[in-house]
Amino acid sequence: MDAQRDSFMKSALGTLGEGVVPTAEQKERIFESVLTEARDHPLRYRIREFITICPWRFAFGAAAVQARPAYC
Amino acid sequence: MDGNEDSKQRFRALYEACIDEVYGYVYLRTGMKADRAEDICQEIFLAVYRGMNHFRGDSSERTWVYKIARNKITDYYRKSFRMSDEPLSADDEAVTEFEDKVGRVEDLVEKTYNSQCVADCFRALPEHYRMVLILKYMDDVSVKKIAAVTGKSAKAVESLLQRAKASFIAEYRRLCSEEVG
């Protein structure tokens, strides 16, 4: 019975994927939002990218700042 | 044409080539809600835009975009399951109770499916049910992998799947009885 149910589920859910596309307005809206976000937050992104790609550099940098002598 | 304009043009071409498929992929996997699908598509294409200059060409650009989309959807599933209140117990009694309600499905299997009706039944399910059903029956993800994504045990996922399946079939019987009858 389980196999039959699985087959039913596969066939039924298979129909869901048919013809779902965004409208022209949605496409334009997503496109514009991406460009706006990319333009407005480049610094925040670069910092995050730096931390993600070179976490050790960030960690050493932060440790060096924390450990600096009091007279500096 | 400066570099910025050049990458914008390149992005536009890639966006136009992939948005329809990516949106369809995301829409189905985020509960068929247009605003949520838009938000996630935005995240996906923002990652594409930012990563375009680092793309090494190991695969086609389309494959690369799909990989980003898959990763974003996996993140979405993780977050959603973390926020889900449903106790994912492997309670066999609860599953058996559902099984009894659903009964056999021969009468359903033979019919042609009405996609609108299937979509309505699907929308009526709780979000975590929809997610496991999509993972299992559309993406062919194993129970073990679903367990890894959701952070639950395989047995709990198995139980959740049974409940989700039973709920969907019960809903299908209720909403689509004319087609089935």
Side-chain angles (χ1 to χ4, degrees):
Chain A
M1 191 157 81
D2 241 18
Q4 207 170 33
R5 278 192 194 170
D6 285 346
S7 158
F8 166 74
M9 293 303 301
K10 246 187 189 330
S11 315
L13 294 185
T15 65
L16 288 178
E18 292 163 5
V20 183
V21 287
T23 62
E25 291 81 41
Q26 280 181 304
K27 281 191 205 179
E28 207 47 44
R29 203 162 45 229
I30 297 169
F31 185 76
E32 287 305 324
S33 313
V34 169
L35 293 187
T36 309
E37 180 74 14
R39 194 189 54 223
D40 289 352
H41 303 291
L43 183 64
R44 198 170 69 185
Y45 169 70
R46 273 167 206 271
I47 293 171
R48 212 169 67 180
E49 191 183 45
F50 175 72
I51 296 171
T52 313
I53 296 174
C54 315
W56 61 93
R57 281 196 191 173
F58 174 74
F60 284 134
V65 171
Q66 275 185 328
R68 78 188 193 285
Y71 54 81
C72 285
Chain B
M1 190 186 287
D2 64 9
N4 196 23
E5 198 55 38
D6 202 28
S7 42
K8 215 187 265 185
Q9 293 257 332
R10 198 176 141 214
F11 173 67
R12 177 111 220 174
L14 185 56
Y15 177 79
E16 293 291 347
C18 301
I19 182 65
D20 286 353
E21 281 178 64
V22 169
Y23 181 86
Y25 176 81
V26 171
Y27 180 78
L28 280 178
R29 285 156 186 80
T30 52
M32 301 175 86
K33 293 204 169 101
D35 52 346
R36 197 179 294 166
E38 264 186 50
D39 287 347
I40 294 182
C41 279
Q42 190 189 322
E43 282 181 34
I44 292 166
F45 282 99
L46 185 62
V48 169
Y49 185 79
R50 284 173 169 162
M52 229 166 41
N53 294 330
H54 308 296
F55 176 60
R56 290 175 303 188
D58 295 340
S59 60
S60 73
E61 284 187 322
R62 207 186 186 82
T63 308
W64 174 62
V65 171
Y66 252 95
K67 200 171 167 191
I68 294 174
R70 257 202 321 272
N71 291 341
K72 292 280 177 197
I73 287 292
T74 305
D75 289 346
Y76 170 78
Y77 284 149
R78 274 202 194 102
K79 271 186 224 159
S80 304
F81 268 96
R82 219 178 295 143
M83 289 188 296
S84 160
D85 292 333
E86 165 91 0
L88 295 184
S89 68
D91 184 351
D92 290 337
E93 266 180 40
V95 174
T96 314
E97 194 185 310
F98 263 115
E99 296 277 316
D100 292 344
K101 274 187 208 163
V102 172
R104 302 179 76 80
V105 290
E106 285 100 336
D107 55 331
L108 305 179
V109 174
E110 301 297 324
K111 308 290 170 183
T112 314
Y113 302 99
N114 173 342
S115 62
Q116 186 53 51
C117 188
V118 172
D120 290 342
C121 297
F122 189 68
R123 277 200 193 93
L125 299 179
E127 178 143 28
H128 50 291
Y129 281 11
R130 290 195 299 246
M131 283 191 268
V132 285
L133 289 178
I134 288 283
L135 282 166
K136 175 77 180 160
Y137 296 106
M138 286 189 88
D139 295 345
D140 280 324
V141 178
S142 67
V143 168
K144 206 171 154 190
K145 279 189 184 161
I146 298 176
V149 168
T150 57
K152 312 290 172 192
S153 71
K155 197 162 184 217
V157 170
E158 197 73 72
S159 159
L160 180 67
L161 254 172
Q162 294 294 338
R163 273 181 279 164
K165 214 174 357 177
S167 295
F168 179 83
I169 294 170
E171 201 63 25
Y172 192 86
R173 266 192 213 289
R174 196 175 68 79
L175 290 179
C176 312
S177 54
E178 279 168 30
E179 284 83 357
V180 172

